[in-house]
Amino acid sequence: MADINETINDRFEDMKILDEMKTSYLNYAMSVIVSRALPDVRDGLKPSQRRILVAMNDLNLGPRGKHRKCAKIVGDTSGNYHPHGDQATYGTLVRLGQHWNMRYTLVDPQGNFGSIDADPPAAMRYTEARFASPAPDMMEDIEKDTVDFVPNYDETRKEPVVLPSKFPNLLVNGASGIAVGMATNIAPHNLNEVCDALLLMIDNPDCTFKDILEVLPGPDFPTGGIICGRKGILDAYVHGRGHLKVRAKHHIEESKRGKISIIFTEIPYMVVKATIVSKIADCVREGTIPEISDVRDESDRKGMRIVVEVRKDADENVVLNKLYRYTPLQNTFAINNVALVNSRPETLNIKQMLKLYIEHRLIVIRRRTRYLLKKARNRAHILEGLILAVSDIDEIIELIKKSPDAPTAKINLMEKPLKLVESETLRRLLPESFVSERHGKEQFLTGPQADAILTMQLQRLTGLEIEKLAKEYGDLTEKIEGYEALLSNKDMQFDVVREDIHEIKGKYGDDRRTNISEEDLTGFDLEDLITEEEVLVMISHQGYMKRMPIDTYRKQARGGRGIIGSSTKEDDFIEHLFTASTHDYLLVFTTGGICYWLKVYNIPAMSRQSKGRNIANLLDLGDDSIASILNVREFDDQRQLLMATRNGIVKKTVLSAYGNPRSNGVKAVRLDEGDWVIGVDVTSGENEIILGTEKGMTIRFHEADARSMGRVSRGVKGISLAKDDAVVGMVIVEEGASLLTACENGYGKRTALEEYRVQSRGGKGIINIKGLDRNGKVIAIKAVQDEDDIMMITAQGMIIRTGLEEVRVIGRSTSGVRMINLKKDDKLVAVERLSLEEEEEAAESAQNGEESSSEAEGSAEPDENAEE
């Protein structure tokens, strides 16, 4: 019993469970990494792919041969080399023949091998396959001891560790796989470009990544598409990892009826076409892309064609950008160049991948040359014996006849001294060194030579056959010298690699399918999804904001009642009105001297009757109200921002000082106690400025009188104000413009700017308008052109739009005319200029249908005191 316990104990070993789990897991992980998931850097194949090709090579399924059932191929692969499930093996075989997955397929399929819509292939009993053209080049010279062989899983046969791979499979077809703790995703490339890069590496091993990029600009996907930007390519080539933005390729078609359609003919790599169509339909159904009226898949055997019809009132460029953003028509391809190098996984840059392939081909060429050299030497050795025997053939025949059996004959042949007989034919055909070394000297045969003589046919004794032996030996001698020279000269080995590369390039090279765009999408901007158009922006006194199409309001005659421009509360009224492009920046200046940034497209688009959304939902203004809003696209050092305060202070600052948007705003000016900002505008640095006050005074001065200051400085005095007076407006003088002055009781006038002489900054100014008892306080001054329209807003939310041809130009020191009929207890609170240039695009889109020249409800009455 004790002996049994000792025997059992000998079979167990005490060890920590943590160590055992760690060891077992590492063994499992390395098995997956090496034996399943990662490709070898030399041939670019994973074990399952390599074994399928070896099994097909065993079956002689060449490109010109017959197709064989895939079930036979899978059976031989599983039975001889790859003892795993037949479905997994069949899936690998199918992928090797799918042209949308492989840039250059290695298997030529027959039957249903699936589709780019992710349709499954037919069962293996229905499909057939054979080698595609590049596959034999992967196998070339495998029988010439070019690669190592190891026993298969049951040690019944040998399988190659790697293929000779005359075809650079890893770079041209790429690879993908998920191992334990790591993954690989190598992009496919164009064969011509890969061959050029290999030749560059051979000729200049110290070439830079920039040199490689000139001949190998980037991946070339089987499905085409467009790679946006080169940063991801450079990262992948230099570091082995990078992210590519790949877009579908498209063009625009317009039908005879004017219907616009976006046609996609190529899609990103490894994206299922059916998924794209389904996702587009989902976006339309969910309202994400409402501009699409229909989507169809019209693909056929001639090529891919996904049709997206755009609604008539939509911008196809905006639809396209939305498709790229919300559907797989734009996809990210993450490159991760992990491959096995000497059975160890490594992340490789492009130079390492090219170099390792070249080194593999050099090893294959050396091993092949050694194999051929050994074979040639063995054959030459046999021929030497045959030539010696033929030289003394009579004695050789007699010796064999007298021998009782073959073994004895072999021994007798090996013991008999032979001499090379002088012969003009032999001397002419054989190398001089061979004849001189053996002529007149005794030679003894070796065992292989004796065997060859015994098996030699009698026909070899004829004169013609003797010449053939001599010629064959002479040719072999030259080959041997060539093999020896090749093995001793590395430059010659590189020449062979070059020849192979040129051969492969000539056989399989084709044009690039994937375009590379210089457009970098790493910072994809939301504004690409927004149609650029001119809009009208309204802000009420209580801070409600909205945008509307600029053609919402029809033109009316001066003095009309207008239409409702906004639904406001009883104690609210429209205070700010301006036009801008949806892609413009809004610089929002508050009365407290703070500057905020806002994109116009972030302002909610609402109907004419809606009151809008409170600006507090868009900007954190605190207790301040808005003084000015400017629409700006670029922040440069040439233009200036000029601001004026209610107390007559002006401050000028370069525009670029406001070019760094911050969510919480920045301080724009330092204000005195009780003062606030009344206006801000952009100037060229050479403009003249007009300030207007509530009591009808104005001053005109050159902006050079106000030096440029820092962003948070106080400024200088622009006008000296009388008691209880305040600045209400600031105007930049324009050539050919006139000055529009509007008062709170609905009166106003236009005056030529020439009537306002230039003064020095800081003076009291001159009279601008009289009759303030009737007119009320001045609420705004504007520089306008004859062809402009103006928009007038009252405290009760009434809006009227009128052309300035209705307001004639009169003298500076006059009382003005009625511009708008006000309801009882209503006041005019704002006037905004609408220039002709700003209206042109809106007028075209409206097709003259939105604007009608209708007469207003009220008519303009002449004013007896229009001029004094």
Side-chain angles (χ1 to χ4, degrees), residues 540-837:
S540 75
H541 180 69
Q542 292 190 356
Y544 287 89
M545 183 180 237
K546 67 177 179 179
R547 61 182 167 95
M548 298 176 294
I550 200 169
D551 55 5
T552 301
Y553 302 97
R554 65 180 183 271
K555 183 183 291 187
Q556 298 182 358
R558 176 176 64 85
R561 286 285 185 182
I563 61 174
I564 295 291
S566 181
S567 175
T568 60
K569 299 179 181 179
E570 291 182 2
D571 56 348
D572 196 10
F573 57 89
I574 301 299
E575 186 172 341
H576 296 279
L577 173 71
F578 62 93
T579 59
S581 166
T582 50
H583 284 194
D584 285 355
Y585 268 109
L586 297 187
L587 289 183
V588 182
F589 292 90
T590 69
T591 53
I594 304 298
C595 175
Y596 295 89
W597 291 262
L598 181 66
K599 277 287 190 179
V600 172
Y601 60 71
N602 285 327
I603 301 172
M606 296 186 176
S607 66
R608 178 168 55 84
Q609 292 80 12
S610 63
K611 67 180 181 181
R613 182 175 298 173
N614 198 303
I615 197 172
N617 296 324
L618 303 174
L619 296 173
D620 184 13
L621 299 179
D623 297 330
D624 291 344
S625 59
I626 297 173
S628 286
I629 301 181
L630 305 177
N631 51 303
V632 177
R633 282 211 171 178
E634 296 180 357
F635 299 87
D636 51 63
D637 295 328
Q638 286 71 42
R639 294 181 293 170
Q640 305 278 334
L641 269 182
L642 185 70
M643 56 189 70
T645 72
R646 184 172 177 80
N647 290 347
I649 302 298
V650 293
K651 194 204 80 165
K652 186 171 69 171
T653 304
V654 66
L655 183 58
S656 60
Y658 299 87
N660 296 316
R662 299 181 190 173
S663 59
N664 57 349
V666 296
K667 193 169 184 178
V669 62
R670 179 163 53 86
L671 296 172
D672 296 334
E673 185 176 353
D675 197 8
W676 64 82
V677 176
I678 59 94
V680 185
D681 211 336
V682 179
T683 70
S684 65
E686 300 295 332
N687 293 112
E688 291 179 352
I689 312 300
I690 294 179
L691 298 179
T693 73
E694 287 181 346
K695 293 187 176 182
M697 299 298 291
T698 58
I699 187 170
R700 177 177 179 177
F701 60 90
H702 198 283
E703 70 167 297
D705 291 348
R707 61 183 177 85
S708 184
M709 301 181 179
R711 179 169 54 81
V712 295
S713 58
R714 174 183 177 273
V716 295
K717 182 179 288 189
I719 185 172
S720 295
L721 298 173
K723 186 178 180 181
D724 299 328
D725 200 0
V727 176
V728 295
M730 178 182 70
V731 165
I732 307 297
V733 175
E734 300 176 8
E735 184 178 353
S738 57
L739 187 70
L740 174 71
T741 304
C743 300
E744 61 182 354
N745 291 340
Y747 291 89
K749 69 182 182 72
R750 277 204 300 156
T751 303
L753 289 178
E754 289 78 8
E755 296 198 27
Y756 300 89
R757 69 180 186 275
V758 177
Q759 298 176 272
S760 297
R761 175 185 57 80
K764 292 184 177 181
I766 58 177
I767 295 175
N768 177 33
I769 189 169
K770 290 184 177 182
L772 296 182
D773 292 338
R774 181 199 68 170
N775 297 343
K777 296 178 180 179
V778 176
I779 60 104
I781 60 172
K782 300 286 180 182
V784 295
Q785 301 283 351
D786 292 341
E787 62 271 17
D788 290 344
D789 289 350
I790 57 171
M791 198 80 86
M792 293 177 285
I793 310 99
T794 74
Q796 294 183 5
M798 297 300 294
I799 294 180
I800 185 170
R801 176 175 179 172
T802 185
L804 283 175
E805 67 270 10
E806 305 288 344
V807 183
R808 61 192 178 89
V809 178
I810 56 180
R812 175 176 57 80
S813 184
T814 56
S815 298
V817 299
R818 185 185 299 278
M819 297 172 61
I820 182 172
N821 279 336
L822 298 174
K823 293 181 179 180
K824 186 178 180 180
D825 299 328
D826 201 3
K827 295 288 185 182
L828 185 65
V829 296
V831 175
E832 182 70 19
R833 167 193 176 186
L834 300 178
S835 70
L836 180 64
E837 291 180 359

Side-chain angles (χ1 to χ4, degrees), residues 52 250 445 486 546 636 866:
I52 288 172
H250 77 282
L445 299 174
L486 180 59
K546 67 177 179 179
D636 51 63

